[in-house]
Amino acid sequence: MTMAKRDTYTPDSLLAVAVEVFNERGYDGTSMEHLSQAAGISKSSIYHHVRGKEELLERAVGRALEGLFAILDEPGAVRGRAIERLEFVTRRTTQVLMAELPYVTLLLRVRGNTRTERLALARRREFDQRMAGLLTAAVAEGDLRADMDVKLATRLLFGMINSLVEWYRPGAGARADEEVAAAVVRLAFDGLRT
Amino acid sequence: MTMAKRDTYTPDSLLAVAVEVFNERGYDGTSMEHLSQAAGISKSSIYHHVRGKEELLERAVGRALEGLFAILDEPGAVRGRAIERLEFVTRRTTQVLMAELPYVTLLLRVRGNTRTERLALARRREFDQRMAGLLTAAVAEGDLRADMDVKLATRLLFGMINSLVEWYRPGAGARADEEVAAAVVRLAFDGLRT
DNA sequence: GTGTCCCGACCGAACATTCGGTTAATCTAG
DNA sequence: CTAGATTAACCGAATGTTCGGTCGGGACAC
């Protein structure tokens, strides 16, 4: 029994609207009035679907973290030489970031003002550490330059990937997205120089 | 006749305090009460030194932009092969970012909610375009890989540099700072691989 | 006629900013 | 050297506004 199309909101469809506005104005810069206008329903109606503003943030960052951590369980991330796993995770992280752009964008901008935000920051740090482990392994296997601090390299690599949220906009097609992911991997591992 | 040291605030010394708080809590997440507590003076006293919250933001992003644009006028940025100028600007941008960290951090987090913020965003875009011009020239001179979209490469390069504001913390000494700048240049131009 | 979805009216709290002053240091005239 | 004027720096209390959230009720589908 498939449900007929509804023009009412579900918590998730409302979330999609809210996250767009959060990313445009910043979470703290967004009022419930802003959200209600963007969603086309009244402020009070929002509270019919979600408990409040913070629940929207919680759902959004949760979804982003879910997508990112799932990468680490994919076969390409657990088998093979460290450098191959690292390249895989780099490419997949870029792809997930593009696919879940609004949610990841919000995740990368939380500042730690509330418990929800601090929890998100902790999970992000955990992901970073898993990544740093891959770098270390790849250096040990002799496939990565040893003349650079691993933590520093991890941060720069991540910084490059995460910067996608500042400029990437979807809609140019799967081909274009593939090109972006490939460029990230190429730049990270082989550099800009001829 | 040098002025004796005063323990009172000037607009600039107050700015330094304010920017720290802005970066910790986010601009929109910071109340004047937060600022007054951090500065150790009352809320109303802040208005003796600056016109309001937005003037503090204005001064901060102005200072950051000043530092960044100054790089483009330095000799190393106007003379020599394009790739050398590009490497110079990459290194210098990293250094300025570290030296003016709190101000640049604030600049990079501006969302465009007010006229002040939109002005800052426009100036940032201008800087990016100057940078993209250097990339294009370096490709034309055959020193940069041609198999990557220039705009894409510019954004990734910048994303890597700008990500410093997320993790770099000063105080490890000039030697350590030099190492960071060198790592950025090496990673950007030669990649991670052995 | 009950549950889902929505609304306008409303609330207390927090917000940026203003106002009417006080304090303490500096300057100025005799 | 000092009394009086001036000023920068500051404060507590209050202003109007906006905030996130609540409430009681209406429409309408099943």
Side-chain angles (χ1 to χ4, degrees):
Chain A
M1 218 182 284
T2 62
M3 196 186 279
K5 200 196 159 210
R6 304 252 241 113
D7 62 343
T8 63
Y9 279 112
T10 65
D12 269 3
S13 66
L14 183 60
L15 177 64
V17 174
V19 169
E20 290 296 331
V21 185
F22 284 159
N23 285 332
E24 246 179 63
R25 319 185 63 102
Y27 176 74
D28 284 318
T30 303
S31 71
M32 295 305 273
E33 186 63 39
H34 289 140
L35 289 187
S36 83
Q37 275 162 22
I41 61 176
S42 78
K43 207 164 48 121
S44 44
S45 296
I46 293 176
Y47 289 88
H48 178 72
H49 302 285
V50 294
R51 225 167 320 133
K53 195 181 175 185
E54 190 156 11
E55 182 179 331
L56 289 165
L57 179 65
E58 208 173 312
R59 282 172 180 266
V61 300
R63 175 158 166 175
L65 286 164
E66 201 181 302
L68 290 174
F69 273 94
I71 295 171
L72 300 177
D73 296 328
E74 294 178 20
V78 291
R79 279 200 282 276
R81 276 182 92 76
I83 189 160
E84 276 157 17
R85 284 182 282 146
L86 183 59
E87 281 195 39
F88 174 84
V89 174
T90 300
R91 178 174 10 257
R92 288 290 295 133
T93 301
T94 307
Q95 288 167 343
V96 167
L97 197 145
M98 291 187 287
E100 304 285 335
L101 187 76
Y103 305 95
V104 180
T105 302
L106 202 53
L107 171 68
L108 293 180
R109 287 186 183 153
V110 312
R111 305 294 329 142
N113 288 344
T114 65
R115 206 182 49 87
T116 303
E117 300 191 21
R118 284 187 288 277
L119 234 73
L121 286 178
R123 293 274 285 159
R124 266 183 65 190
R125 248 176 274 124
E126 195 189 325
F127 190 79
D128 277 29
Q129 274 160 9
R130 299 277 294 268
M131 202 71 155
L134 272 182
L135 271 274
T136 307
V139 170
E141 292 178 10
D143 294 324
L144 239 53
R145 56 191 325 148
D147 62 345
M148 203 183 293
D149 183 56
V150 166
K151 215 156 129 190
L152 178 51
T154 306
R155 283 165 160 168
L156 289 174
L157 171 59
F158 252 97
M160 192 176 76
I161 297 172
N162 290 342
S163 76
L164 283 221
V165 305
E166 300 293 336
W167 53 264
Y168 172 81
R169 294 297 172 264
R175 174 71 40 86
D177 286 4
E178 218 30 70
E179 199 191 313
V180 171
V184 170
V185 173
R186 211 174 313 132
L187 179 49
F189 290 91
D190 299 320
L192 282 169
R193 212 187 302 274
T194 315
Chain B
M1 222 179 283
T2 62
M3 195 187 278
K5 201 196 156 207
R6 305 253 242 113
D7 63 344
T8 64
Y9 278 112
T10 65
D12 269 5
S13 67
L14 182 61
L15 177 63
V17 175
V19 168
E20 289 297 329
V21 185
F22 285 157
N23 285 331
E24 246 179 63
R25 318 184 66 100
Y27 176 73
D28 285 317
T30 302
S31 72
M32 294 304 271
E33 185 64 38
H34 289 139
L35 290 188
S36 84
Q37 274 164 21
I41 61 177
S42 80
K43 226 175 7 150
S44 44
S45 297
I46 294 176
Y47 290 88
H48 179 72
H49 300 285
V50 293
R51 226 168 317 138
K53 196 180 173 186
E54 192 157 10
E55 182 179 329
L56 288 166
L57 180 64
E58 210 173 311
R59 280 171 181 268
V61 299
R63 173 158 168 175
L65 286 164
E66 200 181 303
L68 291 174
F69 273 94
I71 295 171
L72 301 176
D73 295 328
E74 294 179 20
V78 291
R79 279 200 280 277
R81 278 183 89 79
I83 190 163
E84 277 157 15
R85 283 183 283 146
L86 182 59
E87 282 194 40
F88 175 84
V89 174
T90 300
R91 178 174 10 255
R92 287 291 294 133
T93 300
T94 307
Q95 288 167 344
V96 167
L97 198 146
M98 290 187 285
E100 304 285 334
L101 187 75
Y103 304 95
V104 180
T105 302
L106 200 53
L107 172 67
L108 294 178
R109 289 190 182 149
V110 146
R111 303 296 331 144
N113 288 343
T114 65
R115 206 181 49 88
T116 303
E117 299 189 22
R118 284 188 289 276
L119 233 75
L121 285 178
R123 294 272 287 159
R124 265 184 66 189
R125 250 177 273 124
E126 196 189 324
F127 190 79
D128 279 26
Q129 273 160 8
R130 298 276 296 268
M131 203 72 157
L134 271 182
L135 272 274
T136 308
V139 170
E141 292 178 9
D143 295 325
L144 238 54
R145 57 193 324 148
D147 63 343
M148 203 185 292
D149 182 58
V150 166
K151 214 154 129 191
L152 178 51
T154 307
R155 282 163 161 170
L156 290 174
L157 171 59
F158 252 98
M160 191 177 76
I161 298 173
N162 289 343
S163 75
L164 283 222
V165 306
E166 301 293 335
W167 53 264
Y168 173 81
R169 292 299 171 263
R175 175 68 43 83
D177 286 3
E178 217 30 70
E179 200 190 312
V180 172
V184 170
V185 173
R186 210 176 312 135
L187 179 48
F189 290 92
D190 300 318
L192 280 170
R193 214 186 300 274
T194 314

